[in-house]
Amino acid sequence: VLWPELQNQVLPVSSTAIVQNENGTIRMINPRYFGVDDNDQPFSVVAQSADQIPGDEDLIDLARPEAELTRTDGTWLALNAETGRYDRRTNRIRLSGDVMLFRDDGFAAETSLAHVDLNQRTAWGDQPIVVHGPTGEIEAEGFRIADEGATIIFTGRSRLLIRGAGGSESSE
């Protein structure tokens, strides 16, 4: 799909290797997956390793996955975690264990579980989340990210700490 666009670009050399596990499934070391969503906006998923799930070729377990979603205006949202499960049928990733979400405007979020829909460019989770940003901090019981990362809804009990220009803080 991207071949015409990539012909004029120099791509970095990748050291991806494919091996067969003892149970007969396939393992890919340093996999890299690049695609575009329904709006032709690019996304990428890379990992330390990817294991095919026995009996379901569309499910892939990921070790140390990282994903990046880029909007047409150039802004981005990046995610990483200890583990993940990618479903090729639905183009969704379930991230778990020290999940970190970063936005290009300086906001960073930490949670233990997040779901990402690469087609709809949404993310959500029902585990506690802490968000740090240039103007404050938010703690909540869950979250929903919509509008390609432009809208974030915090669910459950939430706490907001706002930093003033002089370093003063107020809490709601």
Side-chain angles (χ1 to χ4, degrees):
V1 173
L2 294 175
W3 183 249
E5 293 177 30
L6 297 177
Q7 285 179 323
N8 297 327
Q9 297 179 9
V10 176
L11 298 176
V13 176
S14 174
S15 59
T16 301
I18 299 174
V19 296
Q20 189 165 5
N21 293 325
E22 290 179 13
N23 63 2
T25 61
I26 304 291
R27 169 174 280 187
M28 184 179 284
I29 309 298
N30 296 322
R32 292 164 185 351
Y33 178 72
F34 300 93
V36 293
D37 67 6
D38 295 338
N39 297 321
D40 292 326
Q41 298 178 108
F43 65 87
S44 66
V45 179
V46 299
Q48 193 174 66
S49 66
D51 291 317
Q52 176 187 14
I53 303 298
D56 192 337
E57 293 179 1
D58 287 323
L59 292 179
I60 301 168
D61 278 338
L62 304 167
R64 305 298 303 163
E66 298 178 11
E68 186 170 318
L69 312 168
T70 305
R71 296 172 51 182
T72 53
D73 66 3
T75 59
W76 52 264
L77 173 67
L79 313 158
N80 64 52
E82 287 180 24
T83 62
R85 177 166 280 182
Y86 176 57
D87 185 334
R88 293 191 300 191
R89 282 184 305 268
T90 62
N91 216 19
R92 289 184 176 181
I93 301 173
R94 179 185 182 270
L95 300 169
S96 58
D98 292 331
V99 178
M100 298 292 297
L101 297 89
F102 304 94
R103 282 187 9 172
D104 65 343
D105 60 2
F107 283 92
E110 304 170 48
T111 187
S112 62
L113 181 66
H115 302 271
V116 180
D117 185 322
L118 294 170
N119 287 333
Q120 298 299 314
R121 303 178 79 76
T122 59
W124 65 95
D126 294 321
Q127 297 298 311
I129 185 170
V130 177
V131 179
H132 305 277
T135 57
E137 181 177 295
I138 298 170
E139 296 177 9
E141 293 178 347
F143 69 98
R144 304 288 181 268
I145 298 175
D147 302 325
E148 300 176 352
T151 302
I152 302 175
I153 300 168
F154 296 98
T155 60
R157 291 182 50 106
S158 302
R159 179 181 164 270
L160 170 64
L161 175 69
I162 300 173
R163 290 186 193 90
S168 61
E169 297 180 347
S170 63
S171 181
E172 296 264 335

